[in-house]
Amino acid sequence: MKHFNLLISARSLRRAFVVASSLSLISVTSQAQTLAIINATVYTVAKQGVLPEAAVLVEDGKIIAVYSKDQMPEKIIADEIIDAKGGILTPGFIASNNLLGLVEVGAVSRTRDGSDKKADITFNASLAFNPKSSLIPYARKGGITSSIVMPHGGEGVFTGQSFVVNLSADFNSVVVSQHAVIANFGAKSKGSRAINLQTFANELEDATKALSKSKKAKAKNKDKEKDKAKSPKRAQQVINSLLNGKKTLLAHVDRATDILVLLTLKEQYKLDLVLVGASDAVLVADEIAKAKVAVMTSALANLPNSFDSLHNSLNNIAQLQAAGIKVIISNSGESHNINQLRFDAGIAAANGLAKTDALASVTANAADVFKLNAGRISIGKNADLVLWSADPFEISTKVNAIWINGKALTTQSRQDDLRNRYTSKSELPRAYIK
Amino acid sequence: MSLSSKCTQLKRVQFNPKSLSPRSVLTVLSVSFFTLTLTACLPNEKQDAKVSINKNPYPSTYQAMPSQTTLFTNATILTGTGQRINDADILIAKGKVQQVGKNLVAPEAIVIDAKGKWITPGIIDVHSHLGVYPNPQVESHSDGNEMTSPNTSEVWAEHSVWPQDPAFDTARAGGVTSLQILPGSANLFGGRGVTLRNVPSTTMQGMKFLDAPYGLKMACGENPKRVYGSRKVLPSTRMGNVAGYRSAWLAATEYKREWDKYERDYDAGKNVVAPKRDLELDTLMGVLNDEILIHNHCYKAEEMAVMVDLGKEFNYHSGTFHHGIEAYKIADLLAENGNCVAMWPDWWGFKMEAYDMIEENVAIVDAVKNSCAVVHSDSSTTIQRLNQEAAKVMFRANESGFSLKEQDAIKWITSNAAKSLGIDEQVGSLEIGKNADVVLWNGNPFSVYAVAEQVYVDGAKVFDKYDEKYQAKSDFLLGQASNNNANKHLTHSVNEK
């Protein structure tokens, strides 16, 4: 028996959730492969906008239908049916610019895998990703279903490559390894900021020349097996993948002058560029918008923490959005508390960003920029979904249910076990409470 | 042997006529009179000027900003004493809270219609490094941690405060009206902390909270043993930490004994030599004399329990534990001993001692009778939204069986914080006669969308979100940054909401 199909009209389900869910238990012999979430207020972050009393159908981890109230079929068939009771359903939130799975305890060096002196542009930190990290279930409390992990690498311009994970805690949770190239620009404690920009520009120029030379060589020696142009070294291949648009460049940069240099290089070499941090982006917002470059930044940065970031302000994100820039809100640098991404989005909303844009900035925008099949509730997308008790950004709200690829996951974490232990009564020492 | 103890011997000789003839007494006295002219102990001898320690050499010059009698009407008021009053009015005048209640009338007052808005006491942060670790974070201004010796009780954070730190202004916009600036946590004894009023000033003294007691920063755990262990000096272990505290308190006890004796002898009319001043021991003696309050960076349950006993061993109170990540494990002990605990709602994992965070920590500490739970920031970012930090605790705790309300949670960042700093007679609640530190919020302060619209210190408006006149700007930002200015791309000003 592959499916136990529950044929029942959506209308009666709204009244009979308990029956529906207990019936669905009959299908335990086979893995539930279809899921219906009914009677939800669905924030699609897609063309359909917000759909009250809507239903979402999931099969084999993908969204296969999104029904508005008007389009609701007479019968909904699914292995499991969840009555959202009017609750808000959003795409799972996408965290970014963190070391999730690469650090367990910041000050314990043997739990840190996000950087290495030897790391260069080829640094593939996804090999070190630990899906069993205690940070992951805790992050799910904030409705986070996936993350763009960005290692800190070594000391050079390039700190390695980002990778994408889901927060299922499964051993196969790395979705894309070696995903985008990360580079550092801007103020340096020793030496000049010019060196990093210059090194990067030179690498691009040299690689372009080498490619064209190799192309010519190939054309010239088409038939001669032994004269095949020798394949470029690994680091060179990564630069080439920036030049042919296969990889995105994630550039940590703040000052406007640095941003402008990168925009010029982007134009010259047709790079797929994302600005990270980008404190001064508001000063050159028109140029960034014109270049169709996205910005990944914090919603809380409002202090002039360096001479590169004198223009930080709580309404910067609203300004960038108004200029037509796609903004990804990240709780930058944070790994243990990325569950707070929703509050950051709320604070951006409290400072001039429309709530719909704030929601996109933690879901669809990252998906678009990094070409992830997530971040929206629409047909074909991964069923990374979160059912909230109320407004997802509000502090009083909590996650009622969370699915990654259609699979329901718990938000229980080690923290809950500790709390339960120390709020239980027992005559024995607490170590006996498990 | 110090001169004063010689004097003690003489005294014994003098009053033991059985063992010495009167003549020999006279001989001894006359010898000492010639050799120790300044220290002879004859009761009738002329005394030198009394040596006393100036306990306030950098006094506050704070003056309240100009204020007007102001009446807020129809607000939801959280008094900071555990009360919530709906549709209520509050009258502030002459720097003080004059009245809180319904249908107040004050013909001479500026009336602010606060319908739909909330009013709380000014927010107090017990743990801040504003001014000593300011923005921009340049080496030249990194003045918060004197990492040159495990005991630097002689340093005072106030001597590092850069009043132009722009983070004072952003904290004020978040409703923070008083804050304690502490030295860092590298040392067993980091030095004195100072409590400031969050008003713009060109000098530290101009911000200094009048009559607030000094704090002494102590640190448990990983930081001191890491910093000094790597230099191969004590402490390199937690037992080394405790040995370091005990040695220091022993020395301080001795020092206090000398000063007490000097006071006693002088007051008895003797001409005695004052003990030699020691800045480090001055501070520790201030703790032993109940003049300086302990503020102890201490994460772990077992270490806090040791620090409580350490205080008992040397006869001082162990004060407030800061960053008490594991306070929930010993909430009863801490309440019983009268310790305040200042906590984050949810920071964790950056160190091993911060691994056992739970989101209900503050609530569990708070639930015990006679407790003093405080939410602190230790951050120039979260100090701007301590209301939301408290909110996180309240809502997460309520999800696991607590039934905390806004009027309870506000105490963690107002009255309990004031108690921790020893300024609860003046601030921390909206009781009649208290200093008029008031925050007017656009709505429920425990919302993610909450913003402070107006902030008052001693009855004077120090911030207004909708009036640039009341938005102070640091010298540092003047002329080079358009911070917080509406951009051409925003079709409507955020301020018009």
Side-chain angles (χ1 to χ4, degrees), chain A residues 104 138 312 319 340 394 414, chain B residues 346 355-356 447 483 487:
Chain A
E104 185 67 21
Y138 185 66
N312 274 339
Q319 294 185 35
Q340 314 221 353
E394 259 301 2
R414 184 173 174 271
Chain B
D346 47 19
Y355 198 53
D356 281 3
S447 162
N483 210 9
N487 183 276

Side-chain angles (χ1 to χ4, degrees), chain A residues 31-43:
Chain A
Q31 199 190 339
Q33 299 210 352
T34 55
L35 163 73
I37 301 163
I38 61 163
N39 196 22
T41 306
V42 178
Y43 284 64

Side-chain angles (χ1 to χ4, degrees), chain A residues 304 310-312, chain B residues 473 476-485:
Chain A
L310 296 175
H311 299 87
N312 274 339
Chain B
K473 191 170 190 172
F476 173 73
L477 287 173
L478 204 62
Q480 65 178 349
S482 56
N483 210 9
N484 289 321
N485 284 349

